[in-house]
Amino acid sequence: MNAHPLLTLLIPTAVAIVSWFVGSSLSVRRDRANKRRDLRVQYLIEAYRRLATATERKETNAEYFADLDSAIVDVQLFGSADQIIAAQEFAKQLAEHRMAQLSQLLANLRDDLRAELKLERVGGPIVVLRPTFDAKERNDLS
């Protein structure tokens, strides 16, 4: 009969301790998943920006190629399987033909990032502004 009051204290205490450990473990797991997601999104947004900056350029600049290379590497590290394939295909075309289209990769990144950020889906091409200046206008701007 003495065990009965002891059990009424031990069982709720054990349940509370186990619940705390399970809740803590789930919280740590959720925090890690959120951090991983945030990091992935951050890198892919930066890769998207570098790719968009390098696209449709008439002039070649070592800085654009360095950014382009960095963006392709980031996509291959953090991107989805489709994005990795598109990045590799772009790199192969660029190496073979000295020109390639980024539109498929940019559209795929845009769609994935908008979905990840819970933004509405948009269609259509990605438009970039690349103004051109003649030599006189460039001198006037300097």
Side-chain angles (χ1 to χ4, degrees), residues 22-92:
V22 169
S24 177
S25 174
L26 291 175
S27 178
V28 167
R29 190 177 302 164
R30 183 188 67 236
D31 291 345
R32 283 184 184 159
N34 286 339
K35 180 68 175 170
R36 203 171 22 247
R37 179 185 159 269
D38 291 345
L39 186 64
R40 178 181 178 269
V41 167
Q42 179 184 4
Y43 271 91
L44 288 178
I45 287 172
E46 286 303 313
Y48 180 90
R49 287 181 178 155
R50 289 188 309 260
L51 290 169
T53 299
T55 191
E56 306 212 14
R57 294 270 177 196
K58 294 204 183 321
E59 70 278 355
T60 57
N61 184 327
E63 180 182 336
Y64 295 132
F65 284 115
D67 285 346
L68 186 61
D69 180 52
S70 175
I72 294 296
V73 169
D74 285 349
V75 170
Q76 290 182 83
L77 180 60
F78 294 105
S80 68
D82 289 341
Q83 292 162 355
I84 292 169
I85 290 168
Q88 290 172 345
E89 185 60 34
F90 167 79
K92 286 176 189 173

Side-chain angles (χ1 to χ4, degrees), residues 51-137:
L51 290 169
T53 299
T55 191
E56 306 212 14
R57 294 270 177 196
K58 294 204 183 321
E59 70 278 355
T60 57
N61 184 327
E63 180 182 336
Y64 295 132
F65 284 115
D67 285 346
L68 186 61
D69 180 52
S70 175
I72 294 296
V73 169
D74 285 349
V75 170
Q76 290 182 83
L77 180 60
F78 294 105
S80 68
D82 289 341
Q83 292 162 355
I84 292 169
I85 290 168
Q88 290 172 345
E89 185 60 34
F90 167 79
K92 286 176 189 173
Q93 285 180 4
L94 187 62
E96 289 174 11
H97 306 291
R98 306 274 304 151
M99 64 184 335
Q101 291 294 318
L102 277 170
S103 55
Q104 179 185 358
L105 178 56
L106 283 173
N108 193 315
L109 282 168
R110 177 187 65 183
D111 293 345
D112 184 53
L113 287 167
R114 290 185 67 83
E116 194 73 36
L117 297 170
K118 308 254 188 282
L119 299 171
E120 72 179 90
R121 186 169 169 81
V122 294
I126 294 171
V127 178
V128 293
L129 179 63
R130 297 288 177 254
T132 56
F133 301 101
D134 63 21
K136 182 180 182 299
E137 288 175 316

